[in-house]
Amino acid sequence: MIGGRRPLSGRKIGDRRVRVERPHAAYFRYSGPGQLRARESASAPTTPAGRAWARVKAILLGRPLASEEEIGERLTKKKALAIFSSDAISSSAYATEEIILAFSLSGVAGLALGYSIQISLAIAVLLAVVAFSYRQVCIAYPTGGGSYSVSKATIGRLASLVAASALLVDYSLTVAVSTSSAVEQIASAVPGLDPVRVYIGVAAILLITLANLRGLREAGNIFAVPTYLFLGSALLMIGLGVYRVVVLGETGAPPPEVVAATEDLAGLALIVVLLRAFASGAVALTGTEAIATGVPAFQRPEARNAATTLMVMAGILGVLFVGITFLATSFGIYPIDEPKQTVIAQVSSRVYGADSIGFYLFQGFTALLLFLAANTSFNAFPRLAAVLAQDGFFPRQFAFRGDRLAFSMGIVVLGVVAATLVVAVEGQTHALIPLYAVGVFIDFTISQAGMVRHWLRERSPGYRYRLTVNAVGGIATAIVAVVVTSVKFVAGAYLVLIVIPLLVAMMLFIRREYDAQTEELRVRDDLVVARPHREQRVVIPVNGINRAVVQAVNFARILAADVRAVYITEVVEEGEELRERWERQLPGVPLVIVESPYRAILGPFIAYLDVLDRAWPPDKEAPVTIVVLPEYVARHWWDRLLYNQTAKRLKSALVGREHTVIADVPYRRVH
Amino acid sequence: MIGGRRPLSGRKIGDRRVRVERPHAAYFRYSGPGQLRARESASAPTTPAGRAWARVKAILLGRPLASEEEIGERLTKKKALAIFSSDAISSSAYATEEIILAFSLSGVAGLALGYSIQISLAIAVLLAVVAFSYRQVCIAYPTGGGSYSVSKATIGRLASLVAASALLVDYSLTVAVSTSSAVEQIASAVPGLDPVRVYIGVAAILLITLANLRGLREAGNIFAVPTYLFLGSALLMIGLGVYRVVVLGETGAPPPEVVAATEDLAGLALIVVLLRAFASGAVALTGTEAIATGVPAFQRPEARNAATTLMVMAGILGVLFVGITFLATSFGIYPIDEPKQTVIAQVSSRVYGADSIGFYLFQGFTALLLFLAANTSFNAFPRLAAVLAQDGFFPRQFAFRGDRLAFSMGIVVLGVVAATLVVAVEGQTHALIPLYAVGVFIDFTISQAGMVRHWLRERSPGYRYRLTVNAVGGIATAIVAVVVTSVKFVAGAYLVLIVIPLLVAMMLFIRREYDAQTEELRVRDDLVVARPHREQRVVIPVNGINRAVVQAVNFARILAADVRAVYITEVVEEGEELRERWERQLPGVPLVIVESPYRAILGPFIAYLDVLDRAWPPDKEAPVTIVVLPEYVARHWWDRLLYNQTAKRLKSALVGREHTVIADVPYRRVH
């Protein structure tokens, strides 16, 4: 019953700007003709329970923020470094350990002493390439979205969705890996906590989730200081350590079992082992793209500030990663399992002294930095999900901002996924690493490929240089992506290769559903909807005389003169009884009693509507049948079991019927 | 907005018997003024999928039956004996075994040889008392419902609900116990099936459930012959066995471990052991009440026929139970566990010969009888649930009869509960026995107490004799109830004492909910609802211009001249854009744009309605505000995730608001 198939009718009652009634001062501000602006009080809770809940929320999350307050939430470079770079920098806490572990697990632990430092240098070079590539992304795409935006603009939908899926996977893993590693750092300092690592990890994720639901700026204040404390103490540790190794000539011997297992490899076998170690250490690069995704959170000029922050971050990460690897190999350090002693904990214990205050402080700072890294993803994941939701690839709820302007749905989903991952691997960082690097390098590659096409299309001055940077970056990261996936395939990388296509398929499906709905509901832009003047009649299915039915009948009488009630019953005597009462209490509304010997309700009711339609003279346009459904509104979940959902079933059976409009008139007593 | 606060208005448009439109022959028969009778075709499915499903249902369950066809479904005495008495009679298949097991588990297996027969005789006396008591229930309460009806009429609500709960528990256990025992009988004959006992049990319950969904009469036909085959072969076995024991002097020795364990007890210890054995054997009485509950299923005269059937059944059960116990003790038979060899299987193996055709036939008949016993509950449970539903203590769905006139919901629920029980105890009959007898005897006691009050109240001729019968029965069953509960408490009886109060509480809660709804919806019987003539205006919350909104606007224009649309947006520019299009395409319907900086929708919308209300001159009666909600109807379950359920949330926030009627106008495109 879509109206407007006739030209605009002559009558124009009410064709005027609406008069905005006063007094509206308490709830609204009058902001133009027919236009109001809601105050905070318009959404204030009116029930005692609602007010109590609002107070709890205000304590946990802070007061609601209006949309315009967002601009004040922008980040300075120093704060942005603390928030966005912690992911990348914090990987120095476990990347060295992963290299050494890769040698151990290949059965050639001894080789770690000789080759780790070269591998860390190779990774540092790769880091420089990637950082230069992403620097250009920040400048070319200041609206954020990182590789998703880049590839959407330059390559196409499928590539951009693959990039987005890879990013979503990586953000989830960042939270899980960083939290697990943070807890391992804590357990390295306080071995008594080793048995409850999983609980600590889940509790930490819960806290970070809550902090992020409060909004971005406060998260920055909470975490900015500890980041710089870590950076200071880590650089101090490297300085002291290098001094002792290089100047004082201090070194250490690896544990006896490593010395015993040492053997030499050559040729292909050596190359495979080195590739494995390289793939393991490549996790150091994860998080490099975070800044490119979060450009809009920077202070103006966003792009320039983000680019600078990115380069500073890459420099710091390179120094930390190479420095720690140098110290670990020089001191002959290997990870210890029971109880967990991480490599970085052993390095700091060696430099600052076992059980020294310096050691405990450094472990604390490292753990805090890793929690901050988890926090990075709580900025990036919800933003990406919101962009995807705006593009119709994610449920719309992900684009809504909560009271504190944070994308609450994305934050909550990320928290749940990450906590599940931590529980699934029992808090072991190493178990998640094989899944981690795959997505990152797929993403890097798509991003750089997109940039190459960007420069080819734009051909702005100096584009040849920029093109070269991104091409080199893309080729390098593509090679690494293939290497990482192959050597880590069985250990878990295959999971990512399953999850990414599933995510892409889901996003395409969601988009198709939204497109279908839009198409279904579309109204031609040039259509003028005239006042309808077809005849109408009303049919009300009733189950007796009660307030819901009386309300429906009153409503129906406004709609049309031809109103009839239909009572469907198995026992015809009940119908007769009702008729007596009906004609006395609801005069003027004819009651049709339909005896249903097969006890069905839907079928006979629809058949009755068909009979009404057919009875109309064929030369006359059939009137619109309005079915008014009295509905008793349930208050509790169990009401669904107690009350027959006949109104609901009738509604879904009738919706879409020709010449039929359904009006569901819910009833519930005022309390 | 309950109308009718004014006296009947003068206008009476439409105050006439409705003209029933023709042609209605295909779907309806005209059965009186304003009255139709639906044919089967009125509920015929119209879609291909619907037709396919109807065909599947017809194959599984048979063609739909009209309500009048019920009368043909009544049972002759012989068929009723097969259906209703199988529960009681079949307990002879495991009651003897439970007595012997009780001695074994008390560590005095040897005593079983001497005392089992006396205990079985004591139980037979109790059976006679109970049977005479229930015979009077059949006659006094021919409408069925058994102890629930009796205690409701004579004692009160709480007692009747306790009785009903006990019955529901027992019906569920009957299915689980009988099925498990049937499968044990099969496994005793075919030991290879022992490992898959649980699967066979669950499959059997599924089949019985389906058979019952087809309707009562056919179930009778399927099972009547095997019952009489069992009775014949069991009586033959007892005859042959007794002849061999008494005349030929044949006896058997118990297994050596029993002989070794034999010791003598005296005093209190002996009494406790005997009470345990008695409590175990008392399961023989379960099912005695089934006939009293099912009186209306008998042919006329229902009460007399039911009473006769009950006495025949008790006589048969007594002979079988005592006879089998006599043979088992005479032959020195004890149950064997791995693989399962039931006592009755060992008796028949002894009498008919191991691996003889007679043995296999008898085991088959026994198993079939036990399945029939399970079937008894599929008659009784749904009937009781339907009675409870009619009384408002159970969800109404339990009172609806399906296409085949069976109370489908009760049948399905019973099938699920029983299958769950069988899986939970891994198909072991013995594990369920302690739960089983408790409810039965609670129920017997309440029933007899009710009969005592019945006779005291009625004082019909000869009531003194009847009163005495029921009083004796009540006291005897009360004592047994206490004994059974005490000696079986730890073994599982406590569970029943938890479940029964829970069920009672649930039923009281359901009744309270239904009462509250009725009260909430009640319309005074003398109220005449006049045609309303208060002013009305319509407010439509819109999310843009689409077909759902256009349909809602067209609908609203029928309702009132004062129609306005409200668009709530975070971004005021979007509102401006919409206004341009709106005024062009929907002229005559003013659009109010509400900017919501806190991103809320519900709050500002309700606040806007408040503003409208307050703007009305205080001396004039406020008009009715009709909120027309355009609703996009979801097709799939995932649509709930993809579409914001704003219409639903608005509806539940607005329903019950003063001077407000909500009309939810669902939209879905015709396909």
Side-chain angles (χ1 to χ4, degrees), chain B residues 78 87 183 237 272 276 502:
Chain B
K78 275 182 199 156
D87 175 11
V183 180
M237 177 180 81
V272 168
R276 263 190 210 149
L502 281 181

Side-chain angles (χ1 to χ4, degrees), chain A residues 34-36 38 397 401-402 514 521 524 527 529 547 570 576 579 584-585 593 595 599 642 656 670, chain B residues 34-38 401-402 514 521 524-525 527 529 547 570 576 579 585 593 595 599 642 656 670:
Chain A
Q35 195 170 312
L36 302 172
Q397 295 91 307
R401 287 177 301 168
Y514 280 134
L521 289 177
R524 275 209 334 275
L527 182 89
V529 182
R547 284 170 182 249
E570 185 188 341
E576 289 305 329
R579 182 188 295 291
R584 186 161 46 76
Q585 293 195 268
I593 291 165
E595 193 191 340
R599 300 165 300 282
L642 294 184
V670 191
Chain B
Q35 195 170 311
L36 303 172
R37 190 182 142 85
R401 286 177 302 169
Y514 281 135
L521 290 178
R524 276 209 333 275
D525 193 54
L527 182 89
V529 182
R547 284 170 181 248
E570 185 188 340
E576 290 304 331
R579 182 188 295 289
Q585 293 196 268
I593 291 165
E595 194 190 342
R599 300 165 301 280
L642 294 186
V670 193

